DNA sequence: TCCATATTTCAATAATCCTTGAATTATTGA
DNA sequence: TCAATAATTCAAGGATTATTGAAATATGGA
C-alpha cells in the first residue's frame, strides 16, 4: 500500500456518510449488505450512496459483489489492516528503549 | 471520541504533507521535533507547515509544547489508538461465530 | 532595549469535493 | 418482450480546503 492509496483511504473516511457506511459494514461482517439496505439504514438517496460506495471501493475499503438484482458491499478488512500498519510503521524509530505503552496501537479483536 | 472528531482526524490524514508529518513524528517518538525541523525534513515553507501542524493539533493527532524559541510537536498516540478503536468497534456484530482472521486489525508493537 | 530567530496569522487565489435530481444501465419475473 | 426493481452515471451548483507571500507575534541573547 503506497502513500497515494493511503491518502485516498483516509479521505474516504473523512466524510460523515462514508464513515457511517464503513462502520456499518465492519459491524455487519463478511456477509455485507446490499447498497439499498445501506442507503436506507444511513438515510441517504440511492444516487448519493452510490457515489460514496464508489469512493470507498476505489479506496479499497469495501468490496462489491453482485447477488441477483442487488450489489452487496462488505468491509475490506485487509485494507484497514494495511492502513494501520502504514501509520505505525517504524514507530519510535524501532528503538526498544523508547517503546512505551503510549506508542502502540491497541490490540483489538472481534469479540 | 465522537464522530465529528474522528472525521476531523481522518481529514487530517488525507493530505500528503500532514500524513508525512504524522509518520515522521510517530517514528520520532515521544521526544518529538521542532516545527522548523519538520518543515525542513518534509520540504515545505514555514507558513505551510504551521497551517498543517495546526490542523493536526486541532484533530488531536499531535501535541505541542514550547521549548525556548522552538515549538516541539510529537505524535498524539492516544488519539491514534482511539481512531482505530472507533473504526473497529463492534466488529462483526461481536458475534464470535463470524470472527475470522480477516476481521481483525493487526497487532502492531513498537519493535 | 534592540536585533535575530522561530513560528503563526492573514487575505486572496486556485483546486477539490459534496449534493441533487434526472437519465441510464442491468437484472428478474410475468 | 414488457414492466418493475436495484443501482449507477451525469451535469450543475454550492461549499470547503490548500497554497502563497507578506505581515505580525513571541522568545532569547547581546
Amino acid at each position: 500500500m503506497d502513500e497515494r492509496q493511503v491518502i485516498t483511504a483516509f479521505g474516504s473516511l473523512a466524510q460523515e456518510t462514508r464513515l457511517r457506511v464503513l462502520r456499518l459494514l465492519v459491524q455487519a461482517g463478511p456477509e455485507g449488505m446490499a447498497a439499498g439496505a445501506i442507503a436506507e439504514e444511513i438515510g441517504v438517496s440511492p444516487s448519493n450512496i452510490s457515489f460514496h460506495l464508489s469512493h470507498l471501493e476505489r479506496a479499497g475499503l469495501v468490496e462489491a459483489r453482485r447477488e441477483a438484482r442487488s450489489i452487496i458491499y462488505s468491509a475490506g478488512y485487509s485494507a484497514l489492516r494495511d492502513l494501520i500498519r502504514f501509520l505505525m510503521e517504524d514507530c519510535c524509530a524501532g528503538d526498544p528503549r523508547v517503546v512505551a505503552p503510549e506508542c502502540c496501537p491497541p490490540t483489538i479483536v472481534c469479540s
Side-chain angles (χ1 to χ4, degrees), chain A:
Chain A
M1 201 176 216
D2 66 14
E3 190 186 60
R4 193 129 299 274
Q5 291 176 289
V6 170
I7 288 170
T8 304
F10 283 131
S12 266
L13 297 172
Q15 205 280 332
E16 194 176 329
T17 300
R18 289 193 296 259
L19 182 60
R20 288 180 183 169
V21 168
L22 189 64
R23 291 187 86 205
L24 186 63
L25 292 179
V26 161
Q27 289 166 18
E31 280 177 36
M33 290 175 72
I38 297 170
E40 196 176 5
E41 176 72 32
I42 303 283
V44 300
S45 71
S47 129
N48 194 248
I49 206 68
S50 185
F51 171 79
H52 290 301
L53 284 170
S54 291
H55 204 293
L56 285 164
E57 193 183 11
R58 247 181 295 123
L61 292 170
V62 304
E63 286 156 19
R65 65 180 194 275
R66 181 175 278 277
E67 225 167 73
R69 267 183 283 207
S70 296
I71 293 181
I72 310 290
Y73 287 89
S74 53
Y77 296 101
S78 71
L80 288 170
R81 240 198 312 278
D82 290 347
L83 222 49
I84 298 167
R85 252 197 269 269
F86 185 89
L87 257 194
M88 302 309 293
E89 191 174 35
D90 204 20
C91 177
C92 298
D95 183 352
R97 288 174 303 173
V98 295
V99 169
E102 86 222 53
C103 298
C104 301
T107 301
I108 300 175
V109 291
C110 300
S111 67

